[in-house]
Amino acid sequence: MLKLGKSTIKKHLKNLTREELEAEILNITRIYPIIQEHYFSILFPDSEEVLEKYKKIIEKEFGHHKGEILRYPIVKQAIKDFSNVSTNKEQIAELMIFTVECGVDFTLSYGDIDEKFYRTISSIYEQALKYIVDNQLEEEFVDRCNELTQSSQGIGWGFGDWMMELYSDYLGHMDEEEDLK
């Protein structure tokens, strides 16, 4: 794959007039929809239009025909792509939690899956919890995360135990604070 260094690109951009630079950006947004999504997210950070697009991608993967294998790379790529285009931290956390909710609902609807499925979903849950804590979004998500943890109990392969442990590691202090009130 061809790769240009930052300095080469900067040099090119410095040689452009303002009008040429604007034309360049407009052309890039026309060619690459993901860049248009990025600018949309910057200009309208509270809009859920882009978030809904990525939720539909994830939902479609979990809504596959019952017998088909879940395409984990598509789910993970949707989270990664949205995290790259969005500037709204709460929406990024929302997409990760939504993905875990889809995973828990999927296994509750169709029964035991396999170890890879549970490792993938619990890994996304851990990433979500870490992101939530790092961005101080605990208040916004603690109830949903607790509900997710509770609904995962009894699911095979130790999944419920992993979910409980992760919740406790990242948000367990929230329960203690609630008890003190």
Side-chain angles (χ1 to χ4, degrees), residues 11 18 22 42 52-53 61 64 66 90 99 119-120 126 135 144 155 171 176 178:
K11 186 177 178 183
R18 180 179 172 91
E22 288 174 0
I42 289 172
E52 289 305 315
K53 173 193 169 188
E61 280 309 303
H64 252 77
K66 284 189 253 182
E90 194 168 331
T99 303
R119 269 191 286 120
T120 300
E126 183 170 19
N135 290 283
R144 278 177 68 192
I155 294 175
L171 297 177
E176 293 166 9
E178 189 64 33

Side-chain angles (χ1 to χ4, degrees), residues 3 7 14 21 23 31-32 39 61 81 94 101 103 108 115 120 123 126-127 130 146 155 157 168 171 177 180:
K3 185 166 172 123
S7 61
K14 274 188 174 182
L21 188 57
I31 295 171
Y32 302 102
Y39 278 109
E61 280 309 303
D81 287 349
E94 165 67 29
E101 288 169 337
L108 290 175
E115 185 179 3
T120 300
S123 171
E126 183 170 19
Q127 290 169 2
K130 182 177 181 347
N146 186 25
I155 294 175
W157 296 89
S168 180
L171 297 177
E177 288 173 14
L180 295 175

